[in-house]
Amino acid sequence: MADAELLPDDYDPSHVFRVVAMPIERGWGVWLRAVDDTIIASFGIGLPAAAAFDPEVLGVLGPLLKEKYRLAYDGTGAWDQIENHYSAVVYEVGRAR
């Protein structure tokens, strides 16, 4: 998984459709995915896999998505849990939905 400091050269937040977060062996991982489910970017957020999704993971992930990736979601209710991962549809900060 890539470091959260690195973004693809052609990164455009309008191409991101959904964010997936999942605990893996090394800690919580995050994937930014396009409408066709291709991975645009992936990174770790520095929390152990045992960290609770809400509030620990969301406490780090929400601000990171907004500040670094210019993405937002509609509150904690936007996240769906499927087995051990969480997924939310996101939108570009500052862009009308």
Side-chain angles (χ1 to χ4, degrees):
M1 218 174 308
D3 182 334
E5 295 300 312
L6 302 175
L7 284 172
D9 291 335
D10 60 349
Y11 176 74
D12 181 346
S14 68
H15 294 162
V16 179
F17 173 68
R18 140 179 103 94
V19 173
V20 175
M22 182 172 73
I24 57 175
E25 194 171 297
R26 295 177 294 187
W28 276 87
V30 178
W31 292 262
L32 306 182
R33 294 187 169 268
V35 169
D36 66 1
D37 216 29
T38 57
I39 296 171
I40 294 172
S42 63
F43 53 91
I45 58 172
L47 291 176
F53 181 71
D54 187 11
E56 293 176 78
V57 171
L58 284 182
V60 172
L61 185 56
L64 179 64
L65 289 174
K66 183 176 181 182
E67 295 165 16
K68 179 146 187 80
Y69 296 96
R70 302 185 317 270
L71 298 169
Y73 52 89
D74 288 326
T76 57
W79 292 90
D80 294 317
Q81 181 179 3
I82 303 168
E83 295 180 9
N84 69 335
H85 72 275
Y86 296 81
S87 176
V89 172
V90 293
Y91 57 91
E92 183 179 1
V93 172
R95 178 172 250 175
R97 292 179 284 144

